[in-house]
Amino acid sequence: RRDYFSELDLEQKRQRQKHSKTDDNKQSSPTPDIPPQDIFRDGSKYSSWDENGFPMKDANGKELSKAATKKLKKIYDAHCKRHDKWKEQKKNNDDDSKSTNGD
């Protein structure tokens, strides 16, 4: 009986952690209208960036770890896709409004 309740507690903790991680990701996701080279331009978190705006060093000037770089790369790549999609939609909306106003 004890094992059953401890397993339930563990499962509940896992579910809470899972939900808190997804909530954190939703909150920290930049809006698609921000250019990819600007999403990490936060001087309080990073001190050095490459030519694409990707962070190279943390605020203390220390090189980012491999794990941190991998995580940021994943966020950066996803944002690039969202930004490109947003630009395409904006372009299509602008084209549509020009064609309706031109009549």
Side-chain angles (χ1 to χ4, degrees), residues 53-67:
F54 193 80
M56 303 302 288
K57 296 182 179 182
D58 67 10
N60 298 326
K62 185 179 172 190
E63 293 282 330
L64 295 176
S65 69
K66 191 174 182 179

Side-chain angles (χ1 to χ4, degrees), residues 34-85:
I34 299 173
Q37 63 270 19
D38 294 339
I39 63 171
F40 297 118
R41 292 283 180 175
D42 184 357
S44 66
K45 292 183 179 181
Y46 310 107
S47 62
S48 177
W49 301 266
D50 67 6
E51 63 278 355
N52 296 321
F54 193 80
M56 303 302 288
K57 296 182 179 182
D58 67 10
N60 298 326
K62 185 179 172 190
E63 293 282 330
L64 295 176
S65 69
K66 191 174 182 179
T69 302
K70 185 177 179 179
K71 182 178 178 181
L72 293 174
K73 178 77 170 137
K74 185 176 179 181
I75 294 169
Y76 182 84
D77 290 343
H79 183 74
C80 286
K81 289 178 185 178
R82 289 179 57 221
H83 182 71
D84 290 343
K85 185 177 178 181

